[in-house]
Amino acid sequence: MTQSRQLVIEADGGSRGNPGPAGYGAVVIDPVTGETLAEAAEYIGVATNNVAEYKGLIAGLKAAKALLPDASADGALRVRVRMDSKLVVEQMSGRWKIKHPDMKPLAAEAARILPASAVTYEWIPREQNKHADRLANEAMDAGKRGRQREPSSSTAALDTPRPSTTAVLPPVSGPPGDAAAGAAKARAAMSARPGAATGTAPAAVTAAPQVGWAAAPDLGAPATFVLLRHGETALTPEKRFSGSGGSDPELSATGRDQAERIARSLAARGTIEEIVSSPLRRCRETAAAVAARLGLEVRIEDGLRETDFGAWEGLTFAEVRERYGPDLDAWLASAKAAPTGGGESFAEVARRVAATRDRLTARYAGRTVLLVTHVTPIKTLVRLALGAPPEAMFRMELSAASVSAVAYYSDGNVSLRLLNDTSHLR
């Protein structure tokens, strides 16, 4: 009867910018002694967190297979993968569907390395994944210097640095050597451990229970919406109602200058991956200025249009009060009340914006997207993110060309990250 051999893999990956300079780390461990048997680390260029995490998993599986090729070939190898990426663990365990096109080929590659029956996946808190995390950060640090991760003095030197180089190193506790030396050490450790002669299972590596913030799973990169209110029009400084049922004004000279300023600011940050705009002219012009600077195309989304203010279009608040006082009072008192003349109520806008949000979060999962839109859609997204009542709409300040940001995670959680930032206009 073939003797079972067991290994533990801990893997991690990260990206500074998501996407940004990325790297991974993986370590193969003896589950009884806790001894490090092999390490892998690589700077992979610009990529997302999730891609880097999958790359770390693949490197760890390949390293484990290389350490015990005979056990792998005859089906005796059993591998326990431990990662702090909830996304990778759940997808590779088959509990979460893999939807993102970048993830599918990586998951398929990982699945081909060892039989599915030979590998189990376990989520661990980030605190317990420090070794692999350190390797990933060393790889990213080396990438900033235009090379691959340098090994420690007790490990084998890496090949000449190049973006596609992967280093599989022998144990940090042993002398320099090649992968064969590491494999021999692994085989010796396996045969020497208690229960090897009888084929009994080794002691399990268990994760200490975690509570509070430390137990929060890594659900992967969120869909992050950077919410940009369009630049000024001639109606903006006069505080006139300007919705989707009015004259569709263009940007003023001030508005065009604001659009150029925000374009420069966003280009400097370098995080925007997609641009989506309201169909109204002031938003399309603002989006075009940013797109020209970033080299991106603009997708038009009708659900991001401003409220239709009906008969109030082009009027100031005081003029509406004078002409349509009772209707204005009703509108201020209830989100279900529509402006005079068949405009949209805030409740109707909220339903439209929520449906748009859901479409866009599904389409842009894990990406950072600039949404160029208007006061009401932005305030609605912020209000819904906070779970605030409709009257909160009247308690937010939102300046022309201001930036806000909301992140949407795969488990349904939402985080408001920024509101009404105008620092780029100073």
Side-chain angles (χ1 to χ4, degrees), residues 7 14 46 51-52 59 89 105 110 179 185 208-209 215 218-219 239 242 244 250 311 331 352 367-368 401 407 418:
L7 295 173
V46 176
V51 166
V89 168
K185 190 167 186 177
D218 178 359
L219 296 172
K239 298 187 180 299
S242 181
S244 57
E250 63 182 358
W331 183 72
R352 164 165 58 85
R367 300 179 71 77
T368 299
L418 189 67

Side-chain angles (χ1 to χ4, degrees), residues 5-367:
R5 304 293 182 88
Q6 300 198 22
L7 295 173
V8 170
I9 296 170
E10 293 178 357
D12 198 11
S15 169
R16 295 169 180 171
N18 199 34
Y24 68 73
V27 56
V28 183
I29 302 168
D30 184 310
V32 173
T33 66
E35 182 180 11
T36 296
L37 302 175
E39 291 179 342
E42 181 186 8
Y43 172 68
I44 59 174
V46 176
T48 65
N49 286 329
N50 295 152
V51 166
E53 289 163 348
Y54 263 108
K55 292 279 190 179
L57 168 63
I58 291 168
L61 290 170
K62 288 181 176 179
K65 183 177 181 179
L67 284 171
L68 294 173
D70 294 340
S72 172
D74 60 22
L77 180 60
R78 295 291 180 268
V79 173
R80 187 177 184 181
V81 176
R82 294 153 48 92
M83 298 181 69
D84 61 58
S85 171
K86 184 72 170 177
L87 179 79
V88 175
V89 168
E90 294 299 315
Q91 288 182 343
M92 291 303 299
S93 298
R95 291 185 290 269
W96 287 6
K97 186 175 181 180
I98 304 172
K99 298 180 179 179
H100 199 287
D102 292 345
M103 302 300 107
K104 290 181 179 180
L106 293 172
E109 181 180 357
R112 287 192 296 268
I113 298 170
L114 293 170
S117 60
V119 186
T120 59
Y121 291 87
E122 173 189 349
W123 176 82
I124 58 174
R126 188 176 298 276
E127 182 68 18
Q128 295 183 22
N129 205 25
K130 287 183 176 180
H131 191 154
D133 178 70
R134 173 177 59 80
L135 294 175
N137 277 285
E138 287 176 358
M140 286 184 278
D141 290 340
K144 288 178 62 177
R145 298 190 295 270
R147 58 178 302 159
Q148 287 293 336
R149 167 181 171 271
E150 293 287 348
S152 65
S153 59
S154 61
T155 59
L158 304 184
D159 294 337
T160 303
R162 59 186 184 274
S164 59
T165 300
T166 301
V168 179
L169 307 177
V172 293
S173 58
D178 57 16
K185 190 167 186 177
R187 287 190 289 272
M190 295 298 146
S191 61
R193 64 171 105 144
T198 61
T200 57
V205 177
T206 58
Q210 296 288 318
V211 295
W213 291 108
D218 178 359
L219 296 172
T224 301
F225 290 169
V226 178
L227 309 172
L228 173 60
R229 185 189 171 193
H230 60 80
E232 283 190 10
T233 72
L235 301 180
T236 307
E238 297 179 8
K239 298 187 180 299
R240 295 184 178 274
F241 282 92
S242 181
S244 57
S247 60
D248 195 14
E250 63 182 358
L251 293 179
S252 64
T254 298
R256 289 191 291 274
D257 178 67
Q258 291 171 335
E260 290 298 330
R261 287 173 181 267
I262 186 59
R264 289 196 296 270
S265 176
L266 293 174
R269 296 181 190 183
T271 56
I272 301 300
E273 301 171 78
E274 307 278 352
I275 302 176
V276 182
S277 174
S278 157
L280 298 184
R281 184 174 181 179
R282 51 198 182 273
C283 287
R284 287 188 286 106
E285 290 177 343
T286 304
V290 178
R293 180 77 62 164
L294 300 184
L296 298 174
E297 295 183 357
V298 178
R299 180 192 293 267
I300 301 301
E301 172 56 62
D302 186 65
L304 294 177
R305 69 184 186 276
E306 182 58 288
T307 306
D308 182 346
F309 290 111
W312 303 351
E313 293 280 359
L315 302 180
T316 65
F317 191 87
E319 290 170 340
V320 172
R321 168 68 69 191
E322 179 181 355
R323 302 180 193 183
Y324 309 105
D327 289 349
L328 180 62
D329 289 338
W331 183 72
L332 294 172
S334 173
K336 296 180 180 179
T340 308
E344 288 180 289
S345 69
F346 278 167
E348 291 172 319
V349 174
R351 286 192 292 271
R352 164 165 58 85
V353 169
T356 302
R357 173 204 62 196
D358 293 345
R359 287 197 304 274
L360 295 180
T361 53
R363 181 186 301 161
Y364 298 115
R367 300 179 71 77

